[in-house]
Amino acid sequence: MATIRGSLHRTPDTGHRTPDTGRWGPGSGSEPGRAPVFGLSPEWLLRDGKPIATATVLSHPEQLTRLRRACPPAARTAVLAGDPCFDRLLAALPHRDDFRRALGVAAGQRLIVVNSTWGPRSLFGDTHDVLPWLLDSLARELPIDGYRRCAVLHPNIWHGHGPGQVRA
C-alpha cells in the first residue's frame, strides 16, 4: 500500500480529459469549472445501476470527492491506496545521478522534461506540432552547455500515432 511521507505530501490535479475527444461531457462527472477524473463516471463503473467492481482503487482523497459527485453508487467501493507512481519516484531518488548520466546530463546542467499525454489536444500529435516546436525552441533559446531536454510521452501515444511519428 502506498504511503505519503512527511514533507513529500502532494496534492495533484487528478483531472483527466477523455482520450477520444479531449472534452468534458454528460456522464463524465463534469461540472462547470471542474474537470472529471477519467474512468470515474457511471458508464465506466456501473452495470444496471450497480457497481461492476467490488473495489475502486483511488490514489488521492480528492478523487473520492469527485467519485462521490460523479457516481455515488460506486463511492462505497472506493479504496484509498495512494499513488504507486509517486512511490516509485520516491524509491528511485537514490538512483537520480544514474538517470541523469543515462540521459547525458552533465554535472551543473539542468534537465528540462516536457511531458505529454495522448489524444488530439495533447502536446504530441496535435494539429499544430506543439511538442517538436517546443523542444526546438528550448534548444534555440537556452544555453546548450547549461541544459539538456527530453520528452516523456504517455504510453497510450502508441495507440493513436504510428511508430514513425513517435520516433520522429
Side-chain angles (χ1 to χ4, degrees):
M1 180 161 310
T3 57
I4 299 174
R5 297 161 186 88
S7 63
L8 294 173
H9 180 78
R10 86 269 188 275
T11 53
D13 172 12
T14 54
H16 301 288
R17 59 183 180 245
T18 58
D20 53 347
T21 64
R23 295 191 180 101
W24 318 125
S28 67
S30 65
E31 54 188 82
R34 194 70 169 155
V37 175
F38 177 74
L40 296 187
S41 58
E43 60 266 21
W44 286 92
L45 300 174
L46 304 179
R47 181 175 300 135
D48 299 324
K50 296 184 177 160
I52 295 168
T54 57
T56 304
V57 180
L58 305 174
S59 63
H60 193 275
E62 191 269 343
Q63 289 177 335
L64 179 56
T65 301
R66 290 189 188 197
L67 177 62
R68 285 181 178 140
R69 275 191 223 118
C71 189
R76 73 175 189 272
T77 68
V79 176
L80 288 172
D83 185 340
C85 294
F86 183 69
D87 286 347
R88 288 180 67 192
L89 285 170
L90 291 178
L93 279 174
H95 305 287
R96 181 179 185 265
D97 291 337
D98 297 330
F99 297 142
R100 289 175 61 83
R101 263 192 306 280
L103 291 168
V105 181
Q109 282 186 318
R110 296 189 75 151
L111 176 63
I112 305 229
V113 178
V114 179
N115 187 16
S116 180
T117 187
W118 63 299
R121 293 179 53 197
S122 67
L123 289 177
F124 181 85
D126 77 333
T127 57
H128 304 292
D129 286 329
V130 174
L131 185 66
W133 172 85
L134 181 57
L135 292 171
D136 288 344
S137 293
L138 289 169
R140 282 191 311 272
E141 296 183 25
L142 296 172
I144 195 164
D145 294 342
Y147 294 87
R148 295 283 295 178
R149 66 198 194 294
C150 73
V152 175
L153 307 177
H154 191 286
N156 282 350
I157 279 177
W158 294 96
H159 171 73
H161 307 283
Q165 184 181 8
V166 173
R167 288 187 179 99

